[in-house]
């Protein structure tokens, strides 16, 4: 049997995705799984594996990759595979990973390793690794509101998606765009913004497809900029998702290697986490700082955005 490392968020998914069920599915497919819970010390991870399987949502994928990089762990030389068990699963969606657990595991037999470029955000003397995106404006404002007023327990995936979208719509309506100093590959784009988002993948948040062409296999960021005049457009897009539709934003991202910014609100995020910028210094996002490999059945297509 091929030996794999299974990194599992035990709070993700349901009983069909607990330790016993996941290790059983892997065994049936010919994999011997060394189980590791995200609640355990990362120093206890075994080294002699051929594949690292991450079972959880986007937060679990980020936590696993970042912690293994910090530990300079041997498993980084081997590819990652994702069993998406979270709410949004933006990383898996970007990589074209879909289906039930059994189907995804079966697909690994013919899957290929693809280099996934990790970007970084520098805040003072701190360095943050990003897989999804980083920025300022209404997104970190919304994340802050969700932290202050968490969802009630027991909600299903679709219910959580709906609550998050409805609260995001509220955040968009009340957020006041502020002045942001912004440099894109050295060119000045400063002004008042509703949202500044440097993307590593095509969707963030609650499956918000801000950059349908966002390709983690290239060496560029996709910078999405929205000004106050875009507030109604963005609100309509979020409302369409609440109603079960999928419009496409007619906002063309800017390809960039380096994005530097700071805003008057001094509120920023990396992926789904808020970050501190105590002296409100200029933050720097750089593309393709590190590379890890993910298994994909075929190279996903990243079509250019079309007006919906």
């Amino acid at each position: 049997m091929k030996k794999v490392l299974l990194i599992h968020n035990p709070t993700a998914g349901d009983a069909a995705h607990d330790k016993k069920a996941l290790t059983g599915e892997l065994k049936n497919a010919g994999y011997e799984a060394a189980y590791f819970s995200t609640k355990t010390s990362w120093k206890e991870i075994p080294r002699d594996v051929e594949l690292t399987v991450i079972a959880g949502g986007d937060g679990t994928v980020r936590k696993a990759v970042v912690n293994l990089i910090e530990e300079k762990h041997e498993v980084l030389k081997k590819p990652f595979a994702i069993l998406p068990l979270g709410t949004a699963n933006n990383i898996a969606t970007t990589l074209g990973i879909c289906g039930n657990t059994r189907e995804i595991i079966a697909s690994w037999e013919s899957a290929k390793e693809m280099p996934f470029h990790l970007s970084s955000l520098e805040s003072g003397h701190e360095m943050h690794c990003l897989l999804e995106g980083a920025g300022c404006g209404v997104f970190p404002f919304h994340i802050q509101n969700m932290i202050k007023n968490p969802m009630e327990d027991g909600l299903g995936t679709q219910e959580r998606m709906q609550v998050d979208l409805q609260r995001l719509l509220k955040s968009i309506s009340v957020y006041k765009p502020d002045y942001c100093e912004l440099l894109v590959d050295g060119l000045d784009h400063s002004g008042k913004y509703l949202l500044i988002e440097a993307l590593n993948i095509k969707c963030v948040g609650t499956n918000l497809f801000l950059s349908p062409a966002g390709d983690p296999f290239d060496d560029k960021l996709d910078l999405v900029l929205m000004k106050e005049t875009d507030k109604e457009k963005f609100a309509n897009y979020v409302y369409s998702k609440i109603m079960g539709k999928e419009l496409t934003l007619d906002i063309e991202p800017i390809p960039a290697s380096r994005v530097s910014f700071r805003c008057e609100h001094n509120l920023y995020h990396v992926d789904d986490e808020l970050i501190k910028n105590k002296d409100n210094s200029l933050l720097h996002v750089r593309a393709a700082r590190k590379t890890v490999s993910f298994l994909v059945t075929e190279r996903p297509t990243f079509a250019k955005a079309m007006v919906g």
Side-chain angles (χ1 to χ4, degrees):
M1 281 190 172
K2 181 181 288 189
K3 191 169 184 180
V4 302
L5 168 64
L6 173 60
I7 298 177
H8 177 224
N9 177 2
T11 63
D14 51 28
H17 302 114
D18 62 13
K19 175 182 177 180
K20 182 178 179 180
L22 290 172
T23 54
E25 288 277 16
L26 288 166
K27 184 177 181 180
N28 291 338
Y31 297 97
E32 179 187 353
Y35 181 85
F36 176 83
S37 167
T38 53
K39 309 301 180 183
T40 313
S41 169
W42 292 91
K43 296 184 182 297
E44 298 177 14
I45 288 182
R47 298 178 180 275
D48 56 336
V49 297
E50 299 178 58
L51 175 69
T52 298
V53 179
I54 306 174
D58 293 314
T60 304
V61 175
R62 181 177 189 272
K63 186 175 183 179
V65 172
V66 170
N67 277 280
L68 290 171
I69 288 174
E70 290 178 351
E71 293 292 331
K72 298 180 180 178
H73 205 285
E74 288 291 319
V75 298
L76 290 171
K77 297 177 182 178
K78 304 293 183 178
F80 289 95
I82 300 176
L83 293 176
L85 305 180
T87 301
N89 301 311
N90 291 313
I91 299 169
T93 297
T94 296
L95 296 176
I97 299 171
C98 59
N100 60 42
T101 300
R102 185 171 301 176
E103 291 169 340
I104 294 172
I105 293 173
S107 74
W108 297 341
E109 190 66 31
S110 58
K112 297 179 180 179
E113 295 181 31
M114 292 294 294
F116 186 106
H117 294 297
L118 308 173
S119 300
S120 68
L121 181 143
E122 296 176 24
S123 170
H125 297 293
E126 295 184 353
M127 181 80 75
H128 304 269
C129 180
L130 70 95
L131 281 75
E132 298 178 72
C136 59
V138 71
F139 271 176
F141 175 74
H142 173 62
I143 293 171
Q144 183 182 65
N145 289 339
M146 294 296 289
I147 293 172
K148 290 180 179 178
N149 301 286
M151 294 186 201
E152 61 183 90
D153 295 332
L155 295 179
T157 299
Q158 292 304 314
E159 291 173 307
R160 293 180 65 84
M161 297 271 279
Q162 282 292 311
V163 170
D164 190 90
L165 287 168
Q166 289 166 5
R167 292 191 184 181
L168 175 59
L169 192 61
K170 176 68 174 178
S171 294
I172 294 169
S173 69
V174 301
Y175 183 78
K176 295 181 179 179
D178 65 344
Y179 181 81
C180 298
E181 183 180 351
L182 174 63
L183 298 173
V184 183
D185 290 332
L187 299 178
D188 191 356
H189 288 257
S190 301
K192 293 186 72 173
Y193 286 97
L194 171 71
L195 176 149
I196 294 174
E197 194 69 18
L199 294 171
N200 207 45
I201 59 177
K202 65 182 180 181
C203 53
V204 292
T206 314
N207 287 152
L208 303 172
F209 287 83
L210 301 188
S211 178
D215 185 349
F217 306 130
D218 66 14
D219 59 355
K220 295 287 186 181
L221 295 159
D222 280 2
L223 178 64
V224 176
L225 303 177
M226 294 188 198
K227 295 193 173 183
E228 190 164 14
T229 52
D230 296 311
K231 178 177 281 196
E232 183 177 357
K233 183 188 302 182
F234 190 31
N236 287 340
Y237 170 72
V238 174
Y239 181 73
S240 76
K241 292 187 73 71
I242 293 173
M243 300 306 293
K245 301 177 182 179
E246 184 65 54
L247 297 180
T248 306
L249 284 167
D250 59 336
I251 294 176
E252 188 70 26
I254 302 170
S257 296
R258 174 171 172 155
V259 179
S260 302
F261 55 85
R262 64 178 158 201
C263 64
E264 292 178 353
H265 285 170
N266 195 22
L267 194 59
Y268 309 92
H269 83 98
V270 171
D271 293 343
D272 61 353
E273 297 181 1
L274 296 178
I275 61 169
K276 295 180 180 180
N277 186 21
K278 295 180 181 179
D279 57 357
N280 201 17
S281 58
L282 203 62
L283 304 184
H284 306 284
V285 181
R286 291 182 172 87
R289 303 296 286 176
K290 293 182 181 295
T291 302
V292 295
S293 295
F294 281 95
L295 286 187
V296 296
T297 52
E298 59 183 44
R299 196 187 196 285
T301 56
F302 300 96
K304 288 293 183 182
M306 297 175 62
V307 178

